[in-house]
Amino acid sequence: MPVPVAVVGMACRFPGADSTGALAELLRSGGSGIGPVPADRRALWGPSPALPPAAGLLDGIDRFDRHPFRISASEAPLLDPQQRLALEMAWHALEDAGLSPAALDGMFAGVYIGAGSSDHAMRMARAGLVAGNPHLPNALQNAAITGRVSYCLGLTGPSLTVDTACSSALTAVTLAGDALRLGHCDMALAGGVSVLLAPEGFSALESSRVLSARGQTRSFDAAADGFVRSEGCGMLVLKRLPDALADGDRIHAVLAGWATGQDGRSNGLSAPSRVAQVQVITRAMQAAGVTRDQIGAIEAQGSGTVLGDLIETRALGDVFAGRSEAPAALGSIKAAIGNLEAAAGIAGLIKTILMVRDGFIPVQPCFTDPSPQVDWDTLPLEVPRATRDWPGPHRVAGVSAFGMSGLNAHVIVAGADGHSAPAADPAGTSALFLLSAASPAALVARAAQLHAALDAPEASLARIAAAVTRRWSGLPLRAGFTARTVDEAKAAARRIAADPPGRPARLMGKIALETAQPLAPATVAQLRRICPDLVDGPQDITRAAPVRVAVPDGTASGDAAASALLALHLAGATLVAQRLAPADPALPALPGYPFDRQRCWYDDWPAAGKG
């Protein structure tokens, strides 16, 4: 059996849900991220003969924080927002995986992202800004979506953008899984992104009569009349399951198997094929080694069109014919957040990961009367009318995505089922907290995030410190402290928020520590593993004299390493973040980096300067 793939990190920014936690709440409540086109987006789109009745849109799509990614002021306004969203969600997903995105340079990690046509490129062409600027080729082409992520984070594995229409993101996940199994990378970012920046796309789809006139995606409902367009980005961090277990990673879920396949010759290039859908789902189940009775839920394409839903339910009826268990749940996230098109598959996959991890079946929004076109009496699936618990263990689900290109994808998702056990609380008489950011405002927000985490009931000082130090170090504006109690740590977080450092810290070259008392050899060895630039004496100095970093006096012997690491961090030394604290599946979830988003749009470019 091929090695399964573990999901060790994830992040999303979808309509109505700017994090996976917010998405879980939206799903459980049956809420919606769909609404009328807001005034700021209408202004961004410009004059339009008609606006759609509803869409799933993100706030502040014209805003970006370039500083964590070290993108120049002259280039950032020109970047396709799809690149910018992919960068942000990659950063958040890596933090969720227990990594510091600022300290991954040289990592053998792949990047696979599904994306479709670029409204931004069309807008730039109309604005007359497509010639005479050296930044434009990589600012506009879809190939640079993944290339930009790899470049800005220093990742050295394969990097490719996938376009198969609405199956793009799920296909990107399957390609990432294949690459991991083949040894083409040791870790992979996989996801999808879509941004709606021009009304012309709505007009084109309206002529095909696939958009909902009422502004609702009513998958499998008698009143279904098409889908609502939406935008967003979702990202996963993937590892081979044995590697994730060996590394002590928290595992959200396991991708047990997958398959892709083309419709071949059918009634038309964009016409769905019942036979092809049956084949791809069946092959994915075989690859995962699961049967139709083991699957408890299907996250469907759920296009909200009469023909699309009819063909999909008939294909599922063929696959699940003879099922002896209770009907499996049938749903589609499109009813909640719309059709993210190229990113639709990652939205459905993240929803399914949350379901198998947290043990719930969410209510299906916009489902009142079952479609009379579907033979519900013989279909061994049912659409949930209320959120309910999904008892474990051994929760298994399937996720489908079908593209207008004819490319179909299906992934089998299984619960982690106790694959990872928590480590013991980190030892030490005090806890070390290392924070960093790329701007003072972001560092203040980081301190506020830390204070909120420490305020949580039953907060573990040691585990919060380990999570913060592993994930939040490496950027140029730095703060930190050691604390023996939660109250001490909260007071220190408040001090940082009140008076953040305003100047970046960055040390280059060799470093020597100045301490009141000599450090124990074991402590020196530990520090040199974490800070490779640290030298132990004159015999290590081959060229220039080292930069000297003073460690404050009065350090207790048990805290010598923590005090030295704090001094190195504050001075700007490069630290190997993954060695700062041991990996532990029980480390708490923390909020993603608080990007200090400012207006950053191509019409500001002439005034952006050359910084």
Side-chain angles (χ1 to χ4, degrees):
M1 180 70 67
V3 62
V5 167
V7 180
V8 298
M10 58 181 179
C12 68
R13 190 177 171 202
F14 295 146
D18 61 2
S19 67
T20 57
L23 179 63
E25 292 177 8
L26 184 78
L27 294 169
R28 286 180 181 273
S29 68
S32 171
I34 304 302
V37 179
D40 59 344
R41 187 60 66 97
R42 292 199 302 269
L44 203 65
W45 283 355
S48 174
L51 290 172
L57 302 172
L58 305 180
D59 295 332
I61 200 67
D62 59 342
R63 302 171 74 84
F64 180 57
D65 182 359
R66 64 184 178 85
H67 297 97
F69 309 106
R70 292 178 287 179
I71 298 172
S72 71
S74 59
E75 185 174 15
L78 304 177
L79 295 190
D80 189 330
Q82 294 184 121
Q83 294 186 31
R84 301 179 345 179
L85 273 177
L87 284 168
E88 291 178 349
M89 291 305 100
W91 193 285
H92 281 179
L94 288 163
E95 285 188 339
D96 186 61
L99 300 170
S100 169
L104 300 181
D105 197 40
M107 177 173 280
F108 188 44
V111 183
Y112 299 80
I113 298 176
S117 58
S118 172
D119 287 356
H120 182 68
M122 292 189 292
R123 291 179 62 90
M124 295 286 282
R126 286 202 303 267
L129 295 173
V130 296
N133 188 306
H135 295 308
L136 281 174
N138 279 329
L140 302 182
Q141 63 170 322
N142 275 5
I145 295 173
T146 48
R148 183 83 57 181
V149 172
S150 296
Y151 171 77
C152 287
L153 300 179
L155 308 180
T156 60
S159 185
L160 71 130
T161 305
V162 179
D163 185 0
T164 62
C166 290
S167 58
S168 299
L170 202 61
T171 300
V173 171
T174 70
L175 293 174
D178 290 340
L180 286 165
R181 286 176 168 176
L182 291 169
H184 293 172
C185 54
D186 293 331
M187 186 181 79
L189 284 158
V193 63
S194 178
V195 175
L196 305 177
L197 295 178
E200 288 85 354
F202 289 87
S203 300
L205 289 170
E206 282 173 357
S207 66
S208 300
R209 298 184 177 180
V210 295
L211 294 186
S212 169
R214 68 182 65 191
Q216 293 180 324
T217 306
R218 304 187 68 87
S219 306
F220 313 116
D221 190 83
D225 67 341
F227 59 82
V228 175
R229 299 187 77 198
S230 60
E231 65 188 7
C233 182
M235 201 73 66
L236 304 180
V237 180
L238 306 176
K239 283 185 175 181
R240 294 177 287 268
L241 179 59
D243 293 346
L245 293 172
D247 293 342
D249 292 320
R250 176 186 55 180
I251 300 173
H252 293 295
V254 174
L255 308 185
W258 50 84
T260 60
Q262 234 278 347
D263 288 340
R265 188 170 293 280
S266 59
N267 292 333
L269 176 62
S270 60
S273 166
R274 174 178 176 178
V275 171
Q277 290 180 20
V278 170
Q279 289 175 343
V280 76
I281 297 171
T282 301
R283 289 204 312 273
M285 291 167 58
Q286 292 171 344
V290 300
T291 68
R292 56 179 174 255
D293 284 330
Q294 292 173 292
I295 293 178
I298 289 290
E299 174 62 18
Q301 169 78 2
S303 66
T305 63
V306 173
L307 179 62
D309 288 353
L310 175 61
I311 291 176
E312 184 170 16
T313 52
R314 286 180 174 176
L316 288 168
D318 294 343
V319 171
F320 286 89
R323 176 184 172 90
S324 60
E325 296 291 324
L330 174 66
S332 173
I333 197 172
K334 291 180 178 65
I337 64 172
N339 186 343
L340 272 76
E341 300 175 0
I346 196 65
L349 182 54
I350 290 176
K351 170 192 171 182
T352 307
I353 291 167
L354 292 169
M355 289 166 57
V356 301
R357 186 194 70 182
D358 298 343
F360 73 99
I361 300 289
V363 60
Q364 178 69 12
C366 302
F367 184 78
T368 305
D369 298 312
S371 170
Q373 303 291 328
V374 178
D375 186 357
W376 296 101
D377 291 335
T378 61
L379 185 69
L381 299 101
E382 62 179 7
V383 179
R385 294 177 178 269
T387 297
R388 64 177 188 267
D389 290 340
W390 184 3
H394 310 306
R395 289 183 285 264
V396 181
V399 184
S400 290
F402 309 138
M404 290 179 66
S405 65
L407 197 284
N408 307 312
H410 193 83
V411 175
I412 302 296
V413 183
D417 291 338
H419 273 307
S420 51
D425 264 357
T429 57
S430 64
L432 173 66
F433 291 81
L434 304 183
L435 291 74
S436 71
S439 70
L443 190 55
V444 168
R446 268 301 200 206
Q449 289 176 335
L450 173 57
H451 194 278
L454 292 164
D455 244 351
E458 301 181 1
S460 165
L461 179 72
R463 286 205 166 112
I464 292 174
V468 164
T469 296
R470 280 180 62 90
R471 303 172 194 177
W472 291 6
S473 62
L475 288 169
L477 285 177
R478 301 186 173 192
F481 56 90
T482 59
R484 289 177 171 79
T485 67
V486 168
D487 285 341
E488 278 186 22
K490 289 165 64 175
R494 289 193 295 269
R495 287 194 296 271
I496 294 170
D499 187 22
R503 298 182 62 182
R506 181 73 71 186
L507 286 184
M508 305 295 291
K510 297 299 181 181
I511 303 168
L513 288 175
E514 293 182 345
T515 59
Q517 300 294 329
L519 296 174
T523 300
V524 173
Q526 176 189 358
L527 294 173
R528 294 188 69 180
R529 285 186 67 252
I530 297 171
C531 182
D533 291 329
L534 191 62
V535 298
D536 191 22
Q539 68 273 16
D540 292 319
I541 303 168
T542 57
R543 294 184 182 177
V547 177
R548 299 197 171 272
V549 174
V551 179
D553 293 342
T555 300
S557 59
D559 296 337
S563 295
L565 288 171
L566 177 58
L568 289 166
H569 167 75
L570 295 177
T574 298
L575 306 180
V576 180
Q578 291 165 268
R579 297 175 182 170
L580 283 166
D584 178 0
L587 293 184
L590 295 172
Y593 183 80
F595 293 107
D596 182 18
R597 298 186 181 102
Q598 305 292 328
R599 165 84 179 184
C600 186
W601 203 238
Y602 68 87
D603 55 11
D604 299 327
W605 174 73
K610 300 180 180 180

